[in-house]
Amino acid sequence: MHAQVIPLSVPALREACSQCNLRELCLPVGLSPEELAQLDELVETRRRVLRGQHIYRSGDTFEALYAIKTGFFKTDVLLEDGRDQVTGFQMAGEILGLDGIGTEKHTCNAIALEDSEVCVIPFIDLENYSREIGALQHHFHKVMSREIVRDHGVMMLLGIMRAEERLAAFLLNLSQRFTARGYSPTEFNLRMTRNEIGSYLGLKLETVSRAFSRFQDEGLITVHQKHIQILDVAGLKKLLSERRT
Amino acid sequence: MHAQVIPLSVPALREACSQCNLRELCLPVGLSPEELAQLDELVETRRRVLRGQHIYRSGDTFEALYAIKTGFFKTDVLLEDGRDQVTGFQMAGEILGLDGIGTEKHTCNAIALEDSEVCVIPFIDLENYSREIGALQHHFHKVMSREIVRDHGVMMLLGIMRAEERLAAFLLNLSQRFTARGYSPTEFNLRMTRNEIGSYLGLKLETVSRAFSRFQDEGLITVHQKHIQILDVAGLKKLLSERRT
DNA sequence: CGTGAGCCTTGATCTGCGTCAACGTGAACT
DNA sequence: AGTTCACGTTGACGCAGATCAAGGCTCACG
């Protein structure tokens, strides 16, 4: 796992947003080519993060946002008594670190679930560029707003849905995000454990496991460890809209 | 309910941020007097909202944020099947409408729980002023970030806390916000029903009622309908940090 | 001042999910 | 190829909170 020392030119280390294939998903959405070229100065460095490593921890001083170039992350919050809650799973093109702006300290942990690469966006620079590039400013506001709306969705999950509804919503959400990234909507590998899914959904890992089995028995999906195939998208959606009780 | 037509000078209808006693809590935090004077142009109108009325509904086109000048609000989301979830309670100095930026449609309902007054902040103007006033831009980002952190807190409530912990956290949070506004930390009137508290906390109204009764029996609080007096703040806090089970 | 409607409280009972326990599985080592 | 260890599955049982039900309080309104 030791990196061989290979001489690299500076441009190779810098990440050019204008060249990135995620530019339609990530911060640069909606920028003109000229604006995009300006933005290339914004991303200072790329950073490799190995599976299990943190990008930041709760309490760390907030300095930068992180755009995921490749890989998969979770964010979680720990209570003093040892309980913890996964607050989200993030994939390529999504932005990590928004929680830190308010207090200038991060309030959660961001951990790579697989070997990943992130673009480091110094926040002070983002604010400066935002003042010059209206489209960037506006898009950044949208990113934050969408995070708030996503959180409301999680509150709905946790507040009023039953176990199987939560898991169905979770799978459909993953499916939709994989689709947006050009992957199969119906077949993917989970990067997180049953325990992490449970923590996110407010359930115990046994309940998650049972719900997976139940879905499989009903012909909605197939599960082999972390490999999921969705057989009946409509069936999963119906689970969400049907009120039982 | 018909408003009498009373001639008013324009300055009376306009809300001057620089004169507002909430300026230390609301958007203008951290602005210099000169910047504050600029901001006075930003807030276009004040709007009265009577108890039970919406400021906006899910699906409405997003155009403005709303700063609460006086009063008390809830936001909620409705599912097609009729279930709903309260996503937050907002009081003076807090900003409503952030959910709408991302999609240009509001994604929840904002409803006054008592007769209230809000300052209408056209979002396009806010973005324009933000580009000129760095401190405003930065503070607005903080406001959004704090909303994200608040949402994470609610996820913790819903995901891992038991009923009494949730209610204790809720009361302590209200107490702290009343304190910041110069009201008593230990004595206040709830503006929401047991049902609304339950919806926010992911509990049924009966469970909320029982938890109130239990707290009263244990000498932590007194409850008379909507009137709450906290007798033992430390006791409530202990409920949160103690892991039972 | 009596009536009704909305809200709240309390008790009895039910149930979905948690807890506990045992076993299965597969990938990474030796 | 065998061992180990983390992760996953499944069953039996228990409990926190939901559900159902009955009654009380408070305030608006005729």
Side-chain angles (χ1 to χ4, degrees):
Chain A
M1 211 53 87
H2 293 276
Q4 243 186 294
V5 180
I6 298 174
L8 282 174
S9 63
V10 171
L13 273 172
R14 283 193 90 87
E15 193 49 51
C17 287
S18 56
Q19 304 306 314
C20 179
N21 56 11
L22 287 168
R23 62 182 180 277
E24 292 305 318
L25 278 169
C26 192
L27 258 193
V29 169
L31 298 201
S32 70
E34 304 81 56
E35 290 168 335
L36 201 51
Q38 276 188 270
L39 204 62
D40 284 349
E41 300 298 311
L42 172 56
V43 173
E44 225 164 56
T45 51
R46 240 186 312 171
R47 194 169 132 194
R48 278 215 133 266
V49 194
L50 298 179
R51 190 176 130 97
Q53 288 182 339
H54 288 69
I55 332 184
Y56 56 80
R57 288 167 197 270
S58 183
D60 285 357
T61 301
F62 167 76
E63 278 162 356
L65 299 177
Y66 304 90
I68 303 175
K69 178 140 180 70
T70 61
F72 208 98
F73 288 82
K74 71 169 176 182
T75 46
D76 68 11
V77 185
L78 267 89
L79 248 49
E80 329 76 70
D81 61 16
R83 287 182 287 179
D84 75 324
Q85 165 106 5
V86 172
T87 53
F89 297 108
Q90 297 81 18
M91 54 177 83
E94 297 175 341
I95 307 291
L96 281 160
L98 300 173
D99 60 283
I101 301 169
T103 55
E104 278 149 39
K105 300 264 177 219
H106 285 288
T107 60
C108 61
N109 306 292
I111 301 148
L113 295 180
E114 61 185 32
D115 294 356
S116 303
E117 233 175 342
V118 295
C119 302
V120 181
I121 306 169
F123 188 61
I124 193 136
D125 297 340
L126 178 61
E127 286 194 333
N128 287 335
Y129 279 99
S130 276
R131 260 180 265 126
E132 288 170 28
I133 309 173
L136 176 65
Q137 176 199 39
H138 189 59
H139 186 65
F140 174 61
H141 292 160
K142 286 191 170 195
V143 167
M144 295 207 89
S145 173
R146 285 200 203 111
E147 178 68 15
I148 291 170
V149 173
R150 187 194 71 81
D151 290 346
H152 289 174
V154 178
M155 287 185 210
M156 303 286 283
L157 279 187
L158 296 172
I160 60 184
M161 292 191 188
R162 35 187 56 253
E164 293 191 2
E165 291 178 296
R166 295 183 201 189
L167 193 64
F170 174 72
L171 290 174
L172 290 169
N173 175 266
L174 280 183
S175 163
Q176 179 241 303
R177 285 154 76 200
F178 281 126
T179 309
R181 283 155 187 81
Y183 300 110
S184 167
T186 54
E187 201 167 351
F188 46 83
N189 284 297
L190 299 173
R191 317 297 151 101
M192 67 296 279
T193 66
R194 301 287 188 268
N195 195 25
E196 287 163 335
I197 297 171
S199 173
Y200 181 61
L201 298 178
L203 302 169
K204 292 292 155 183
L205 66 93
E206 294 94 332
T207 306
V208 173
S209 181
R210 278 187 245 269
F212 271 132
S213 300
R214 186 116 197 279
F215 285 175
Q216 185 159 237
D217 293 347
E218 288 167 349
L220 296 170
I221 63 174
T222 64
V223 195
H224 292 111
Q225 302 290 120
K226 297 213 149 79
H227 184 86
I228 301 284
Q229 189 174 4
I230 301 180
L231 303 174
D232 182 0
V233 176
L236 285 178
K237 285 189 180 150
K238 220 173 69 183
L239 266 183
L240 287 183
S241 53
E242 261 174 14
R243 189 75 194 104
R244 202 170 9 284
T245 290
Chain B
M1 207 59 80
H2 294 275
Q4 241 186 296
V5 180
I6 297 174
L8 281 174
S9 63
V10 172
L13 274 171
R14 285 193 88 88
E15 194 48 51
C17 287
S18 56
Q19 303 308 314
C20 180
N21 55 9
L22 288 167
R23 63 182 180 276
E24 291 307 316
L25 276 170
C26 191
L27 260 192
V29 170
L31 299 199
S32 70
E34 304 80 57
E35 290 168 336
L36 202 52
Q38 274 188 273
L39 203 64
D40 284 349
E41 300 297 311
L42 172 55
V43 173
E44 224 165 53
T45 51
R46 238 185 316 170
R47 195 169 130 192
R48 279 215 132 267
V49 194
L50 298 180
R51 191 175 129 96
Q53 287 183 340
H54 288 68
I55 333 185
Y56 55 80
R57 288 166 197 271
S58 183
D60 285 357
T61 301
F62 167 76
E63 280 162 355
L65 299 177
Y66 304 89
I68 303 174
K69 180 140 178 68
T70 61
F72 208 96
F73 288 82
K74 71 168 176 182
T75 47
D76 67 11
V77 185
L78 266 90
L79 248 48
E80 330 75 69
D81 61 16
R83 286 182 286 180
D84 74 325
Q85 165 105 5
V86 171
T87 55
F89 297 107
Q90 296 81 18
M91 54 178 82
E94 296 175 341
I95 307 290
L96 281 159
L98 300 172
D99 59 282
I101 301 169
T103 55
E104 279 150 36
K105 300 264 177 218
H106 285 288
T107 60
C108 60
N109 306 292
I111 302 148
L113 295 180
E114 60 183 33
D115 294 356
S116 303
E117 233 176 341
V118 294
C119 302
V120 181
I121 306 169
F123 188 61
I124 192 133
D125 297 339
L126 178 61
E127 286 194 331
N128 286 336
Y129 279 99
S130 277
R131 259 178 267 128
E132 289 170 29
I133 309 173
L136 176 64
Q137 177 199 37
H138 189 60
H139 186 67
F140 175 59
H141 292 161
K142 286 190 168 195
V143 167
M144 293 207 90
S145 173
R146 284 199 202 115
E147 178 67 16
I148 291 170
V149 173
R150 187 194 71 82
D151 290 346
H152 289 175
V154 178
M155 288 186 210
M156 303 285 284
L157 279 187
L158 295 172
I160 59 183
M161 292 189 187
R162 35 188 55 250
E164 293 190 3
E165 291 177 298
R166 295 183 200 189
L167 192 64
F170 173 72
L171 289 175
L172 290 169
N173 174 266
L174 280 184
S175 163
Q176 178 240 304
R177 286 155 73 201
F178 281 126
T179 309
R181 283 157 186 79
Y183 300 110
S184 166
T186 54
E187 200 167 352
F188 45 83
N189 283 297
L190 299 172
R191 317 297 151 103
M192 68 294 277
T193 66
R194 301 288 188 268
N195 195 27
E196 287 163 336
I197 297 171
S199 173
Y200 180 62
L201 298 177
L203 302 169
K204 292 293 155 181
L205 68 93
E206 294 94 331
T207 305
V208 173
S209 180
R210 279 187 245 270
F212 271 132
S213 299
R214 186 116 197 281
F215 285 174
Q216 185 159 237
D217 293 347
E218 288 166 349
L220 295 169
I221 62 174
T222 64
V223 194
H224 291 111
Q225 301 291 119
K226 297 214 149 80
H227 185 85
I228 301 285
Q229 188 174 5
I230 302 180
L231 303 174
D232 182 0
V233 175
L236 284 179
K237 283 189 180 150
K238 220 175 72 186
L239 265 183
L240 286 183
S241 54
E242 261 174 14
R243 187 77 194 104
R244 197 172 12 285
T245 291

